[in-house]
Amino acid sequence: MFCRNCGAELLQNANICTQCGVPAGQGRHFCPNCDAPTDELAVVCIKCGCSLKHYYNSYTVNGVQVQRKSKLAAGLLGIFVGAFGIHNFYLGYTDRGIVQLLLGTVGSLACGIGPVVSAVWGLVEGIQILTGSINTDANGVPLGD
Ligand SMILES: [Zn+2]
Ligand SMILES: [Zn+2]
């Protein structure tokens, strides 16, 4: 595996490039599979044919590759269905999601104020996600595009 930013060879489970300091899998200049230079917007390597989008959207946590969650999807979920905490379930913030879900459902029994509170809460979080104030999921993985 090679650093996508500077092309240096990485150890199998490296989280970060020792050459340039960029997290493994990030950067767009080199193919992680064959080390060929890649176009910034390329989604496949023209030399070996491996998918570059996959590498761009994945992230290594403790040597395990995980998919990065979509910032856009999480933000829109917060704005439109944030009253039910869907964006927090999506990002893995289950506790917060459950509180919002309860507020948004049975919370309506308490003078109808619960859903208003959770809708505003979700809206604010949705905007924070889109503007980058919230930029990781519950596992600390940076959100993707
Ligand atoms: Zn590097
Ligand atoms: Zn390649």
Side-chain angles (χ1 to χ4, degrees):
M1 181 172 160
F2 299 92
C3 174
R4 290 225 53 204
N5 187 53
C6 72
E9 188 162 8
L10 299 178
L11 295 173
Q12 193 60 41
N13 292 328
N15 266 323
I16 207 157
C17 173
T18 49
Q19 197 80 245
C20 70
V22 166
Q26 293 195 39
R28 295 176 173 214
H29 305 301
F30 294 90
C31 172
N33 189 44
C34 72
D35 208 20
T38 57
D39 188 85
E40 287 219 9
L41 299 174
V43 289
V44 289
C45 172
I46 49 170
K47 194 170 169 203
C48 73
C50 74
S51 164
L52 300 174
K53 185 114 179 89
H54 167 74
Y55 285 97
Y56 177 63
N57 281 323
S58 68
Y59 190 78
T60 310
V61 181
N62 300 327
V64 180
Q65 274 216 339
V66 294
Q67 285 299 111
R68 294 166 71 180
K69 304 255 168 64
S70 162
K71 172 170 142 177
L72 185 65
L76 293 179
L77 285 173
I79 288 167
F80 292 110
V81 286
F84 305 113
I86 309 299
H87 59 300
N88 277 320
F89 288 114
Y90 173 65
L91 293 179
Y93 296 111
T94 314
D95 294 351
R96 210 148 72 196
I98 289 171
V99 173
Q100 286 168 338
L101 180 62
L102 288 176
L103 275 173
T105 51
V106 295
S108 60
L109 301 174
C111 318
I113 195 87
V116 179
V117 172
S118 61
V120 172
W121 186 2
L123 177 68
V124 169
E125 285 185 338
I127 292 167
Q128 285 180 317
I129 291 165
L130 290 179
T131 58
S133 301
I134 297 175
N135 55 15
T136 59
D137 68 16
N139 296 315
V141 178
L143 302 182
D145 288 336

